[in-house]
Amino acid sequence: MKRGPSRYISRTAYLDPGKAGSYERDRFSGALGRYRWRREMDGVGAVVDMLPAGVSVLDCPCGVGRWWPVLERRAERIHAVDLSPAMLGEAERRIGSVAVPVEVSKGDAERLELADASVDAVFSHALTKHLPIPLQQRVLNEFARVSRAWVVCSFSLLNHLTYELWRRRDLVDSNALLPEQLDDIAAAAGLTEVARRRCTTPIGVEHSVLFRKAAA
Ligand SMILES: C[S@@+](CC[C@H](N)C(=O)[O-])C[C@H]1O[C@@H](n2cnc3c(N)ncnc32)[C@H](O)[C@@H]1O
């Protein structure tokens, strides 16, 4: 059955060249922004450093390519994919400053135009938090399909205590997962969790998670 395009805000929010141009400035300026940046770099970097050296990596969505200085610590080449031509345009300007070859192309995480098992590792940061749970499953399935062995993907994860506290204050983010929901999504994608790190402020819920393909 042919599916039409899904609708969620981050599919269209980054199409505007102005927003793409100020993406990092808007999020990571000022003392709090720099603190968040450092926490993200440390948390995600610790997970990326668990990958073996010399892997081919799909970075999806790559946004403006801000993770390449971290990915190049393990990658021997990077294929960077994003839905937004404006974000890809910003990313292309950075290719020259990366130590490994980078290929950039437009694509959709929900239906990647890549063959099964065509890269060693898929890296995805700050996509699933924008997606309803069935779409988180769909993109994780795609990442597992195109990866030979590894997937590093961020998720908003609540424990039962934070869930209850958030729920009482009407703060529960419908895209955030409880631990058992992440287990179910991973198992359905054929992935086993290897490690996770919090990659935001101490009160935030975003985590970077390393998975290995069950069959790898
Ligand atoms: C919050 S940004 C994160 C970008 C980058 N991973 C980072 O951490 O800076 C979200 C990105 O997802 C892209 N995006 C949204 N839906 C997508 C999809 N289905 N496939 C590929 N990219 C998508 C947007 O264009 C945007 O660049």
Side-chain angles (χ1 to χ4, degrees):
M1 188 178 65
K2 222 171 163 195
R3 290 188 306 248
S6 311
R7 306 218 181 283
Y8 46 88
I9 192 127
S10 82
R11 273 192 88 87
T12 48
Y14 300 94
L15 295 175
D16 174 358
K19 282 199 180 148
S22 62
Y23 176 78
E24 284 174 321
R25 201 168 52 247
D26 292 346
R27 284 161 187 74
F28 303 112
S29 295
L32 181 59
R34 285 193 296 276
Y35 174 66
R36 284 183 46 231
W37 173 274
R38 180 48 44 214
R39 297 271 310 187
E40 278 198 19
M41 289 291 148
D42 289 350
V44 175
V47 174
V48 168
D49 287 342
M50 293 178 205
L51 292 171
V55 287
S56 57
V57 176
L58 171 70
D59 175 13
C60 178
C62 65
V64 297
R66 75 187 174 101
W67 290 106
W68 299 346
V70 172
L71 294 177
E72 73 180 11
R73 302 201 297 243
R74 284 290 177 265
E76 55 98 14
R77 65 196 143 86
I78 298 169
H79 183 179
V81 168
D82 200 285
L83 206 53
S84 158
M87 296 296 266
L88 290 172
E90 290 297 320
E92 274 169 347
R93 294 172 203 243
R94 300 181 182 205
I95 291 178
S97 58
V98 187
V100 296
V102 180
E103 178 196 344
V104 164
S105 60
K106 183 169 179 281
D108 188 340
E110 292 181 41
R111 40 183 88 69
L112 291 165
E113 291 178 10
L114 289 169
D116 296 359
S118 52
V119 292
D120 297 316
V122 175
F123 173 82
S124 181
H125 188 75
L127 175 62
T128 62
K129 67 178 180 183
H130 297 293
L131 309 180
I133 293 172
L135 283 185
Q136 297 188 41
Q137 179 77 68
R138 194 185 296 177
V139 300
L140 198 63
N141 291 349
E142 273 299 82
F143 297 158
R145 180 184 68 76
V146 303
S147 171
R148 270 188 285 277
W150 305 100
V151 174
V152 175
C153 187
S154 68
F155 289 93
S156 292
L157 296 178
L158 297 171
N159 58 37
H160 287 271
L161 177 64
T162 48
Y163 182 89
E164 191 52 30
L165 292 172
W166 283 35
R167 192 185 60 77
R168 284 191 196 171
R169 288 169 175 72
D170 269 346
L171 286 173
V172 169
D173 164 3
S174 61
N175 300 333
L177 303 176
L178 286 164
E180 57 269 29
Q181 290 175 303
L182 180 64
D183 290 346
D184 289 349
I185 285 181
L191 297 171
T192 306
E193 182 176 334
V194 176
R196 75 170 74 162
R197 293 283 183 277
R198 183 185 295 275
C199 57
T200 183
T201 61
I203 58 163
V205 294
E206 199 157 21
H207 291 68
S208 183
V209 185
L210 173 65
F211 301 97
R212 192 172 169 89
K213 252 178 114 158

